[in-house]
Amino acid sequence: MTGPLLRVRDLTATVTTRREVIRAVRGVSFDINADEAVGFVGESGCGKSVTAKALMRLAPEGASIALGGSVAFWGQELLGLGEEEMRDLRGRRIAMVFQDPMTSLNPVMSIGAQMADMLRRHLGLSGRAARERGIELLDLVGIPEPARRIDDFPHQFSGGQRQRILIAIAISCEPDLLIADEPTTALDVTVQAQILRLLLRLREERGMALMLITHDFGVVAGMVDRVNVMYRGEIVETGLVDDVFSAPQHAYTRALLDAVPRLQGAGAIR
Amino acid sequence: MTAAPLLQVRDLSVLFPARRGAPPVRAVERLSFEIAPGQTLGLVGQSGSGKTTAGRAILQLQKASGGSVRLLGQELTTMPAGALRRMRRHMQFVLQNPYSSLHPRMTIGQILSEPLQVHRSVPANRVRERVEELLELVNLDPTMMRRYPHEFSGGQRQRVVIARALAVNPDFVVCDEPVSALDVRTQAQIVALLQSLQEKLGLSYLFIAHDLAIVREMAHRVAVMFRGRIVEMGSADQVYDSPAHPYTRLLLDAVPVPDPRLQRERLRQAPPDLRFLEGDGGACVHGVDHEGAGTPEWHEVAEGHGVSCRYWPAGSSPAG
Ligand SMILES: Nc1ncnc2c1ncn2[C@@H]1O[C@H](COP(=O)(O)OP(=O)(O)OP(=O)(O)O)[C@@H](O)[C@H]1O
Ligand SMILES: Nc1ncnc2c1ncn2[C@@H]1O[C@H](COP(=O)(O)OP(=O)(O)OP(=O)(O)O)[C@@H](O)[C@H]1O
Ligand SMILES: [Mg+2]
Ligand SMILES: [Mg+2]
């Protein structure tokens, strides 16, 4: 073995826009092992999405990014890798569900064509096989009548359906690592549970590792082994999710947990 | 209590046209509800059940295939374009995504001036003053008006979106998942902001959301949608404390809890069987063909608390 699937050391990310320079990620270090799920929580703007995109070497919208430190994937350093090799990794070995479902789907391409594109490029599937696989994937994420809907365009789906289509595309090439940035914000709790069960199954059956970014502490609770709490571009607390939730060490973590809206009586197992 | 409703929706239906020989999508089916002045109706339910489509059809952003929508006593579905344009200042939309709903190349000041100019709601020389007022209303610093949306956090952007909706002094606002993209602390701030604005300005909201805890906090009444229909509606307490429809119960049971051990165990259990909720069309759970008979599929279980007899498992009954 070459160590963990992902080893991140002293990662820094400086985001430059026309008006300002933001040190969005200020030296974060963490590991993700094969078939492990790691959660990232923290308030808006603390650097979760920039961290996730940095692993894929992507800049945030409308900005450029300078990266420092080290990101090793199966022992291979990604920060110095050529763009060509990076493109082969993205989607195939490391896939990402982006936070904004609308901007990450192509509005003028049918869902089926977008899925087929990925399946052809990375797995070499023929048009027909890609279509069948696409229908299967839509069914997996709970889109009703998938065979009828595969030729529809993004605007013809509901917000939550679009979010699930993104998940279907991300898991389509069976990546080693799935980075999911707020993947269930647009879903009702029963469909959300269905998607979470699907991700758990992929992890169990195929050893897919998961980096899960979410504001929803209920989601993180059930899904991850370890959790990293970010604050202003740094990881301020890290630990097993059970420990962090039952005995948060950092005052900031405590404040976050205290702010979780709770529904009285929820969570009873009937 | 019996104030005339601000909004009255009757049998509202939306069909999306068929593609290539397939039957049309019946996205919203015969929705009926009212919202009183200063009140909030929470709309929750299955992803894809027609919540956004209903909100759009009420605001006349989507053509209804049937039914009626009355705002301030005026019928909107048949209103001529010019009158409808004037009506628009009474009703506004706040969308889920604070990232894509603001124009990236316009400053906050320009974004907030636009509706004021379109509706000519203040004279040209007072626009700037009104923009400052609006920013203060949503607790943002007026000096921020020279900045661009990407320079703001998600929570700040959502405040700008709310300020834009309030620019024309609406009576009714549809909030479609206004806080789901935000972290828990920011969510709480935005919810508090929406509540204080409701108190201050007497606004009515249709509040669409997936977070059931937040809906309970925001809403006076709650409607639950499943496959295009409202399957249950009542006061927030009625729906949350004595849910009557099987789908409502499923939904309440599935709320994730921030307890790792418990939550893992729940995800490990077999998923709930949604099949028993199938059986669209034909007779209801009482064996009545309501469509044929022209009777509503609706049963009162308590005063102001109704439940549909659709999507029930065979042999069960809405009353028991
Ligand atoms: N496209 C961008 N242009 C300019 N600054 C950006 C951009 N994207 C992120 N930033 C800045 O980088 C920092 C980190 O942002 P990031 O998007 O990683 O936060 P986040 O933790 O994902 O927040 P959220 O929970 O709201 O998604 C913030 O200060 C933000 O303002
Ligand atoms: N333009 C369209 N053409 C065809 N079908 C559509 C169109 N817009 C929505 N639909 C379908 O209508 C149904 C209702 O969609 P809607 O967006 O109203 O759902 P929703 O309740 O808001 O869901 P979510 O919680 O996922 O946002 C869905 O099945 C959707 O696929
Ligand atoms: Mg983010
Ligand atoms: Mg919607």
Side-chain angles (χ1 to χ4, degrees):
Chain A
M1 283 314 287
T2 43
L5 174 139
L6 190 76
R7 163 165 286 180
V8 178
R9 288 293 174 273
D10 292 321
L11 178 70
T12 58
T14 307
V15 176
T16 306
T17 67
R18 264 182 312 179
R19 289 163 61 96
E20 56 191 333
V21 177
I22 304 150
R23 289 177 55 216
V25 181
R26 305 166 181 236
V28 307
S29 301
F30 61 92
D31 289 346
I32 301 180
N33 293 309
D35 84 17
E36 191 182 32
V38 175
F40 279 78
V41 298
E43 72 191 343
S44 190
C46 70
K48 304 180 297 292
S49 298
V50 171
T51 300
K53 285 180 182 165
L55 304 179
M56 304 266 282
R57 295 245 317 268
L58 297 170
E61 194 104 353
S64 65
I65 193 165
L67 302 177
S70 157
V71 176
F73 179 66
W74 289 128
Q76 181 182 33
E77 179 57 50
L78 297 187
L79 293 194
L81 211 60
E83 185 48 37
E84 190 73 9
E85 287 160 292
M86 221 32 238
R87 255 202 299 273
D88 288 341
L89 270 181
R90 272 186 218 126
R92 173 70 191 93
R93 311 287 305 280
I94 308 178
M96 182 156 173
V97 179
F98 292 92
Q99 193 169 4
D100 183 353
M102 222 24 206
T103 55
S104 34
L105 285 169
N106 183 340
V108 296
M109 235 172 130
S110 76
I111 294 306
Q114 295 186 51
M115 300 185 92
D117 203 39
M118 186 90 165
L119 291 164
R120 220 175 4 240
R121 185 150 43 101
H122 289 306
L123 302 184
L125 292 194
S126 71
R128 194 200 169 92
R131 188 182 169 82
E132 267 162 30
R133 180 75 185 128
I135 292 172
E136 246 173 67
L137 284 160
L138 289 183
D139 190 45
L140 266 183
V141 297
I143 305 291
E145 303 183 83
R148 240 185 69 193
R149 303 228 50 186
I150 190 151
D151 296 314
D152 284 352
F153 289 82
H155 76 268
Q156 294 172 303
F157 290 90
S158 80
Q161 287 170 338
R162 286 195 288 255
Q163 196 168 45
R164 285 179 273 157
I165 290 164
L166 280 184
I167 293 170
I169 293 175
I171 63 174
S172 67
C173 298
E174 305 190 357
D176 301 346
L177 170 65
L178 177 69
I179 302 173
D181 194 353
E182 302 285 1
T184 60
T185 47
L187 306 180
D188 70 85
V189 289
T190 63
V191 171
Q192 177 181 63
Q194 180 189 351
I195 294 296
L196 298 180
R197 285 191 177 97
L198 170 66
L199 296 181
L200 286 176
R201 205 170 75 223
L202 292 175
R203 189 183 155 191
E204 238 160 63
E205 290 172 3
R206 301 190 192 136
M208 182 183 80
L210 180 67
M211 173 175 174
L212 178 65
I213 299 171
T214 178
H215 290 307
D216 191 326
F217 281 66
V219 168
V220 105
M223 291 296 290
V224 308
D225 310 299
R226 282 186 301 124
V227 62
N228 292 312
V229 182
M230 284 189 77
Y231 180 67
R232 298 200 175 173
E234 292 177 47
I235 292 177
V236 293
E237 180 158 0
T238 179
L240 293 174
V241 67
D242 301 71
D243 297 341
V244 173
F245 275 44
S246 61
Q249 296 301 303
H250 201 283
Y252 176 69
T253 312
R254 242 170 285 143
L256 275 180
L257 280 165
D258 285 345
V260 175
R262 276 163 218 258
L263 192 59
Q264 254 183 349
I269 296 180
R270 293 192 192 175
Chain B
M1 245 333 273
T2 46
L6 177 91
L7 178 79
Q8 200 169 15
V9 175
R10 282 280 163 276
D11 292 325
L12 182 67
S13 297
V14 179
L15 281 180
F16 289 111
R19 301 183 58 234
R20 282 181 285 102
V25 179
R26 306 172 83 171
V28 172
E29 294 226 51
R30 303 189 58 188
L31 240 53
S32 297
F33 57 81
E34 292 173 355
I35 304 180
Q39 296 267 305
T40 300
L41 175 69
L43 188 57
V44 302
Q46 198 191 25
S47 169
S49 62
K51 303 179 296 296
T52 297
T53 306
R56 291 175 50 85
I58 290 166
L59 297 179
Q60 308 303 307
L61 301 168
Q62 162 72 50
K63 194 157 175 33
S65 53
S68 133
V69 177
R70 295 176 80 84
L71 182 70
L72 295 160
Q74 302 201 54
E75 178 60 48
L76 301 184
T77 54
T78 52
M79 198 175 260
L84 190 59
R85 213 172 309 121
R86 283 189 294 281
M87 206 57 193
R88 291 221 172 274
R89 67 162 216 80
H90 296 287
M91 48 186 193
Q92 291 289 313
F93 209 174
V94 170
L95 285 172
Q96 169 177 9
N97 204 310
Y99 296 91
S100 48
S101 54
L102 294 175
H103 196 293
R105 292 200 213 301
M106 281 166 77
T107 63
I108 302 306
Q110 289 167 329
I111 287 169
L112 294 180
S113 316
E114 197 180 36
L116 298 174
Q117 285 152 355
V118 169
H119 291 279
R120 295 195 197 92
S121 40
V122 295
N125 61 359
R126 269 219 54 216
V127 167
R128 195 195 151 86
E129 201 179 316
R130 176 72 180 142
V131 168
E132 284 176 2
E133 230 172 76
L134 285 166
L135 285 169
E136 274 167 11
L137 197 60
V138 296
N139 305 326
L140 287 175
D141 188 336
T143 59
M144 286 183 168
M145 81 171 85
R146 270 180 296 276
R147 298 189 154 227
Y148 291 88
H150 73 255
E151 298 173 53
F152 289 93
S153 71
Q156 289 174 322
R157 279 187 246 204
Q158 199 57 300
R159 285 171 199 269
V160 174
V161 172
I162 293 168
R164 181 178 58 184
L166 298 180
V168 294
N169 275 322
D171 303 282
F172 171 60
V173 182
V174 175
C175 303
D176 193 359
E177 303 190 43
V179 298
S180 56
L182 307 173
D183 68 81
V184 285
R185 290 214 282 190
T186 315
Q187 276 183 355
Q189 288 163 7
I190 297 288
V191 165
L193 172 67
L194 288 170
Q195 285 172 327
S196 85
L197 291 170
Q198 179 164 59
E199 231 162 78
K200 230 183 279 178
L201 309 172
L203 294 170
S204 299
Y205 297 125
L206 177 65
F207 189 85
I208 303 172
H210 287 303
D211 189 314
L212 297 168
I214 285 176
V215 170
R216 176 145 213 188
E217 206 171 307
M218 273 298 293
H220 302 93
R221 291 178 60 75
V222 174
V224 182
M225 273 186 88
F226 184 73
R227 296 196 189 149
R229 299 167 197 256
I230 290 180
V231 293
E232 180 159 1
M233 182 158 54
S235 72
D237 288 347
Q238 286 170 331
V239 173
Y240 280 80
D241 296 338
S242 11
H245 195 277
Y247 177 71
T248 312
R249 286 186 214 138
L250 269 184
L251 204 59
L252 289 169
D253 282 350
V255 173
V257 286
D259 175 337
R261 199 189 45 75
L262 184 57
Q263 192 55 28
R264 272 194 294 267
E265 194 178 321
R266 297 169 83 210
L267 285 176
R268 235 180 276 122
Q269 288 177 343
D273 190 357
L274 279 165
R275 264 178 326 175
F276 78 100
L277 296 164
E278 271 167 24
D280 209 343
C284 83
V285 66
H286 298 308
V288 179
D289 177 0
H290 290 286
E291 217 156 314
T295 48
E297 317 163 338
W298 196 251
H299 302 260
E300 287 250 310
V301 288
E303 169 144 22
H305 184 189
V307 62
S308 162
C309 49
R310 284 247 166 225
Y311 309 121
W312 280 71
S316 56
S317 106

